Amino acid sequence: MTPEQADRRLGVPPLPPRHVARSRLLAALDGADGLPLVVLAAGPGSGKTVLLADWVLARPAPVGWINLTTADAAPRRFWPLLASALRAGTGPGEIPPSAAATAAIGGVQSLLDSLPDSAIPPVLVIDDAHLLTHPAVLEGLDLIIRGGPPRLRLVLAARSDPLLPLHRYRLAGLMCELRAPQLAMTRGEMRALLAAHGVTLPAENLDALLARTEGWVAGLRLSAMRMEGTEHPARFVSELAVDQGSIGEYLIAEVLDRQPEPIRRMLAETSFLDEVTGPLADAVTGRDGCGDMLAGLARTNSFVVPLDAAQTRFRYHQLFAEILRHDGRRYDRCTVPDLMRRAAAHFERTGDFRNALYWAAESGDAQYAAAVLARGGLAHAFVHGVDLSGLHLESWQAPALPGRADAAQAREAAVVSSAVVAVMAGAESAASDLRALDQTADQLADQQLSPELLVTAGLVRLLLGMKAGDAQAVDEAAGRLLAPSGHPPGYRVPGLPAAVMLAQAATQFWHGRNEDVGALLQAALREAERDGPPVLELNVLAMIALTDSLLSRPHHAGEAVTRAHALLRQHNDLSPPLALELAAAVRSLIAADLVAAARATERALTSGYAGFDPGLVGARAVGQATMLLASGDLNQARAVMNHASSRSDLPLLVLLRETLLADIETIVGRPNAALGLLRGCQDGDLAVLVALPRARAYLALRDLPRAQHCVRTVLTATSALVSRYNLLEAMLCDAQIAQLKGDPGRALEMIAGAMELAQDDIVLPFFATQGVFASLLARHPAVAAQWPLPPEGVPVHEIMPGGRPDTADLPDPLTEREHAALRFLAAGLSTAEIADEMCLSVNTVKTHLAAIYRKLTASRRKEAVLRAWELELL
């Protein structure tokens, strides 16, 4: 055995038991054969040494290996050690003992000259190369790397970047790099490692383990070892252990114990933060210089991950953060809630109210959270659409003012109290809260308030007005906030005017006051583009898309949707707002694309936070019920609307709810019940919107004069509430009346006008009434050829308001009266009960039932109902 072979510093470490080869990384090392330098830089336990050992042991070409120590990093010891490593790798006699005997550059050149000529230059692996700091050693390595065609290939494994000009090597194409992200195990590699230890985990536990360890090799290997042979290995996925052989023990020994006490304490006291910066860490810990500490830890790959190129923002590896929180128990200077309050105070000072509110709430200090809310947090949340439900203000109590409290303290306390009330108020309590607010109106409008408090006071009234459905209160509050006096000198909240105009436009829309909605939204969009954050611009565009979709202005809505999606692509942190999903559902439903409408409705139902506009929650329920009605699920549609009845008192949504319920009653054969529901909606500014549901009910009763009167109300209306869609529905309803009167010419005239008005983007009313006009269209193929149809793949048997299932497949289709009687028949009503519901004599009902049996080729009631289900008539 040669001296070199006996030296442990020169031996390739053995592979660990149950080793799993990592083919993608081995291939990357093989692919760097033509380069003079390969660098593996990552923290401890990232698998650098094992990967290189696996690679070296499989190579046919000569390889030298150095397990570097601190003592061997000095020039007088390093260069002889390097020569010994090369002799051990290439074989005795290849490199003379005198090679690199000196630390000078000449010795390095002599070493290179002594290397044997070979098509494949020898490889030298230096493990723990981060220990190399002496300038003479670094200069010699630089000569090897940049000395022309490689005579020797260096592979450096280090916990931090070697102190070499890596940027030059990178630009010159002389180097291959493998860093922590590449060295992290993939899901497949992790599964193979667990399998080698006889461990099998369900998919969700695999995902959780990979997320928790972030693919860190040592963490996964230690986890596999702890799981091996246990009855319930999944319980170790989320377990934090610091005992012998655990991940915690490894991190404490390899990382934490190597840190100076100030750094260790800084890490522990900031471990609760998802993201940390130098100034934030300074504020939380009360010490200066934390930014330099964090940058140094990131450079040494000590489980502190930089989040930006400038290395000013950092996060802790998930497992490391868990160990840090455990380590924090060693310190008793501050509790975690105290540290969170310090973080909140830092964010408030820097104007980051989203994080200030978040950490104030996390600290559990409702008093402090309420104060931050009043001092600018509410304005920030209103502009940015921040969900305030997590502030935990339920435990807030108005603090008792000291006996000598001055007027300023009383004014501030009043604003704080009102801000809490505005956030916590529901639709039921908002009106009374608004009235109670009038009692403190003088305090809340006092110009001696600070600018932040003055703006908050205005927003409180606006929000309570929105929740209470009080359009006048909203208009008054918006007027004050948008007036020059609403902006205290030297104080402004970017985007606030746009957010106020958006709220005012939405409130007017939900009250059916459409005259100024478009102008307000366009003004809000201009302000948002000029002065607001991208999320506010997105919310304005979404509301424009929704209102224009509901008012049957598809081209305007399409432009807003296109711009909204461009914003979403530009800003990855934004997500589609509820209004945008509702707009997509409305547009798809109008086009009779029920598949796309169902998808958009589903997205709307799962979109979470609905923002500060209470109308969107009610609109979501109306959209869901409309989609269910379109799918023929009448019972579920009714249930959704009945549940929504207690959640919104906004006039437009109340009316839409009643018209949907009335249409359901008409469809199931209870037109009198439908008219009863609409009786209270016949007067007022929104009355024109109930005319068509009433017309459909009268049609079901064969009361053609009253149906005609309702239709004429819509066709002759000048109200901005009547959309192109409403007019089209009215024209088709008029055509149906003409058909029943025996006037096919008039019916065809109205159908032609409706098709012209549709402009190829409104299909649903045609889809809904196709069965009604089946016989007429069969006699006029030219008109039938132009009849708008839904997209391919949409089932043609869906039940829609105003129509009934297509019975054209029957040789003798059912009449409207027969179809209504059939529904009652299926519901189990007796002949007398059917007569009562339909306001007919019992003999007339018997005549209808006989016709139904004949047309359905049935001999009795049960058989007729079964046949009707087969033909999808029910």
Side-chain angles (χ1 to χ4, degrees):
M1 179 181 292
T2 65
E4 289 83 1
Q5 292 171 328
D7 193 339
R8 292 185 176 181
R9 295 173 300 171
L10 307 180
V12 179
L15 296 177
R18 302 176 195 72
H19 171 67
V20 174
R22 307 178 69 188
S23 56
R24 64 181 179 89
L25 296 177
L26 295 172
L29 292 172
D30 288 337
D33 267 350
L35 300 176
L37 177 63
V38 176
V39 172
L40 286 75
S46 56
K48 304 182 296 293
T49 301
V50 172
L51 172 66
L52 290 175
D54 193 9
W55 180 65
V56 166
L57 293 172
R59 281 181 64 85
V63 177
W65 187 290
I66 297 178
N67 294 304
L68 197 64
T69 65
T70 304
D72 293 323
R76 61 185 181 81
R77 297 187 59 173
F78 176 75
W79 293 114
L81 184 63
L82 186 148
S84 297
L86 289 175
R87 279 195 296 273
T90 58
E94 295 287 349
I95 300 175
S98 59
T102 67
I105 290 296
V108 177
Q109 190 61 57
S110 172
L111 170 68
L112 293 175
D113 293 340
S114 68
L115 291 173
D117 294 327
S118 173
I120 302 177
V123 175
L124 176 65
V125 175
I126 304 177
D127 201 5
D128 286 333
H130 55 275
L131 298 175
L132 297 172
T133 58
H134 196 286
V137 172
L138 297 172
E139 186 180 1
L141 292 176
D142 182 57
L143 175 63
I144 294 172
I145 295 166
R146 293 198 290 168
R151 301 287 302 279
L152 172 64
R153 292 184 57 226
L154 294 177
V155 179
L156 306 182
R159 292 191 175 188
S160 58
D161 280 0
L163 300 180
L164 291 164
L166 300 184
H167 61 287
R168 294 180 184 174
Y169 306 154
R170 198 175 289 123
L171 286 173
L174 299 175
M175 176 177 66
C176 168
E177 299 174 81
L178 293 176
R179 298 185 175 274
Q182 293 81 38
L183 292 169
M185 278 193 160
T186 64
R187 196 174 191 275
E189 291 168 342
M190 177 186 66
R191 191 188 297 110
L193 175 64
L194 292 173
H197 286 264
V199 176
T200 302
L201 290 176
E204 61 271 17
N205 294 121
L206 279 173
D207 293 337
L209 182 60
L210 186 62
R212 186 165 180 254
T213 59
E214 300 184 27
W216 178 45
V217 177
L220 287 169
R221 186 173 295 280
L222 289 169
S223 296
M225 292 168 63
R226 290 181 74 85
M227 294 179 192
E228 186 174 8
T230 61
E231 184 177 356
H232 302 290
R235 71 181 180 86
F236 290 97
V237 171
S238 58
E239 180 188 70
L240 175 64
V242 293
D243 57 344
Q244 187 174 6
S246 68
I247 296 174
E249 181 197 42
Y250 185 96
L251 284 171
I252 291 172
E254 291 292 327
V255 183
L256 278 185
D257 285 348
R258 301 185 180 203
Q259 304 303 329
E261 184 61 20
I263 292 180
R264 186 164 180 169
R265 185 160 192 159
M266 182 272 295
L267 289 170
E269 291 181 348
T270 57
S271 59
F272 68 92
L273 294 164
D274 301 320
E275 180 180 313
V276 61
T277 65
L280 175 57
D282 288 347
V284 169
T285 64
R287 290 183 291 273
D288 295 330
C290 292
D292 292 336
M293 296 181 193
L294 290 165
L297 291 165
R299 281 194 299 272
T300 57
N301 291 305
S302 298
F303 295 87
V304 175
V305 183
L307 298 177
D308 60 343
Q311 296 204 358
T312 59
R313 298 165 42 241
F314 306 89
R315 71 170 180 86
Y316 301 140
H317 186 288
Q318 186 170 331
L319 286 174
F320 190 50
E322 292 177 23
I323 295 301
L324 292 177
R325 288 191 283 273
H326 173 81
D327 194 53
R329 299 172 186 173
R330 301 168 60 239
Y331 307 104
D332 55 4
R333 184 168 65 94
C334 288
T335 64
V336 173
D338 290 333
L339 298 171
M340 289 178 173
R341 279 190 291 272
R342 291 183 183 184
H346 165 78
F347 285 120
E348 185 181 1
R349 285 193 301 271
T350 58
D352 185 349
F353 283 97
R354 180 189 294 266
N355 277 310
L357 288 168
Y358 175 79
W359 288 115
E362 286 295 300
S363 74
D365 189 341
Q367 303 296 129
Y368 182 50
V372 174
L373 191 70
R375 292 196 296 256
L378 184 60
H380 175 91
F382 184 70
V383 170
H384 290 80
V386 178
D387 186 0
L388 296 177
S389 62
L391 288 184
H392 310 301
L393 294 175
E394 300 86 357
S395 60
W396 178 85
Q397 293 180 347
L401 293 175
R404 297 183 178 181
D406 57 21
Q409 287 177 305
R411 288 191 296 267
E412 180 172 351
V415 176
V416 172
S417 298
S418 67
V420 174
V421 168
V423 170
M424 297 296 295
E428 303 81 6
S429 63
S432 59
D433 291 333
L434 194 59
R435 289 191 296 271
L437 198 66
D438 292 334
Q439 300 175 10
T440 57
D442 293 340
Q443 286 180 311
L444 298 181
D446 195 326
Q447 294 299 315
Q448 294 185 40
L449 287 170
S450 69
E452 298 90 345
L453 295 175
L454 195 60
V455 168
T456 298
L459 281 175
V460 165
R461 182 168 292 276
L462 181 75
L463 289 175
L464 286 176
M466 292 176 70
K467 291 183 176 183
D470 188 334
Q472 181 179 350
V474 171
D475 286 340
E476 290 174 356
R480 292 194 187 102
L481 286 165
L482 294 172
S485 59
H487 299 275
Y491 178 76
R492 56 186 296 277
V493 180
L496 182 61
V500 170
M501 285 187 279
L502 172 60
Q504 189 178 14
T507 302
Q508 290 189 9
F509 182 76
W510 300 126
H511 280 74
R513 293 162 46 193
N514 293 352
E515 296 80 4
D516 299 325
V517 168
L520 271 172
L521 287 174
Q522 290 301 322
L525 182 59
R526 288 191 296 272
E527 278 291 325
E529 291 172 333
R530 181 184 68 83
D531 191 39
V535 66
L536 178 59
E537 184 181 350
L538 178 63
N539 286 333
V540 176
L541 287 168
M543 195 62 189
I544 291 173
L546 178 58
T547 55
D548 282 337
S549 296
L550 289 169
L551 295 173
S552 305
R553 295 195 285 254
H555 299 300
H556 291 91
E559 291 175 3
V561 169
T562 299
R563 293 181 60 183
H565 283 290
L567 264 180
L568 288 168
R569 288 191 297 271
Q570 185 179 354
H571 301 278
N572 294 330
D573 57 326
L574 297 179
S575 57
L578 173 58
L580 192 63
E581 301 291 15
L582 290 175
V586 170
R587 294 173 73 211
S588 298
L589 194 58
I590 288 175
D593 188 346
L594 301 188
V595 175
R599 290 173 183 159
T601 302
E602 183 63 29
R603 291 196 301 270
L605 290 173
T606 57
S607 62
Y609 181 55
F612 285 90
D613 182 359
L616 290 176
V617 178
R620 178 163 57 185
V622 170
Q624 182 187 9
T626 304
M627 190 63 237
L628 289 166
L629 185 59
S631 303
D633 194 344
L634 306 185
N635 290 332
Q636 189 60 30
R638 183 190 286 112
V640 170
M641 284 293 87
N642 287 333
H643 177 67
S645 64
S646 62
R647 300 176 63 182
S648 177
D649 292 324
L650 296 170
L652 180 60
L653 295 173
V654 170
L655 185 135
L656 290 175
R657 182 176 66 230
E658 296 302 313
T659 57
L660 274 170
L661 290 171
D663 275 327
I664 291 172
E665 294 297 329
T666 299
I667 289 172
V668 299
R670 292 194 287 267
N672 284 317
L675 291 169
L677 280 172
L678 298 174
R679 193 164 289 122
C681 307
Q682 297 180 47
D683 301 318
D685 297 336
L686 302 179
V688 68
L689 294 181
V690 304
L692 284 174
R694 292 178 67 227
R696 289 190 279 267
Y698 284 127
L699 269 173
L701 293 169
R702 288 298 190 270
D703 188 341
L704 300 187
R706 285 180 174 165
Q708 187 78 67
H709 174 74
C710 293
V711 169
R712 290 297 174 199
T713 300
V714 177
L715 292 175
T716 59
T718 58
S719 170
L721 291 169
V722 178
S723 67
R724 185 161 57 97
Y725 186 92
N726 299 136
L727 288 173
L728 193 151
E729 274 195 309
M731 295 175 77
L732 290 177
C733 200
D734 200 25
Q736 189 176 352
I737 295 170
Q739 180 177 244
L740 291 171
K741 286 181 175 180
D743 188 352
R746 170 69 178 174
L748 288 170
E749 178 186 351
M750 297 309 294
I751 288 172
M755 288 192 293
E756 182 179 356
L757 187 63
Q759 298 178 5
D760 297 327
D761 51 52
I762 299 180
V763 179
L764 187 62
F766 298 95
F767 179 40
T769 56
Q770 187 170 6
V772 173
F773 299 113
S775 299
L776 182 66
L777 294 174
R779 296 193 300 272
H780 296 83
V783 177
Q786 301 176 51
W787 189 265
L789 295 174
E792 291 184 12
V794 174
V796 298
H797 61 272
E798 304 291 0
I799 300 176
M800 294 299 303
R804 58 180 174 81
D806 188 358
T807 60
D809 290 339
L810 291 173
D812 187 4
L814 299 180
T815 65
E816 291 286 340
R817 282 281 177 93
E818 291 164 355
H819 203 275
L822 177 63
R823 292 195 188 96
F824 289 125
L825 201 67
L829 271 66
S830 67
T831 303
E833 289 171 331
I834 295 174
D836 186 56
E837 281 290 335
M838 297 181 68
C839 301
L840 300 172
S841 69
V842 172
N843 287 334
T844 302
V845 171
K846 287 180 178 179
T847 301
H848 287 318
L849 294 180
I852 291 171
Y853 294 160
R854 174 177 54 80
K855 293 178 180 181
L856 297 181
T857 64
S859 59
R860 59 185 185 276
R861 175 186 293 247
K862 183 176 181 181
E863 190 177 340
V865 172
L866 290 174
R867 177 70 173 144
W869 280 113
E870 289 176 6
L871 293 171
E872 297 180 336
L873 301 178
L874 293 171

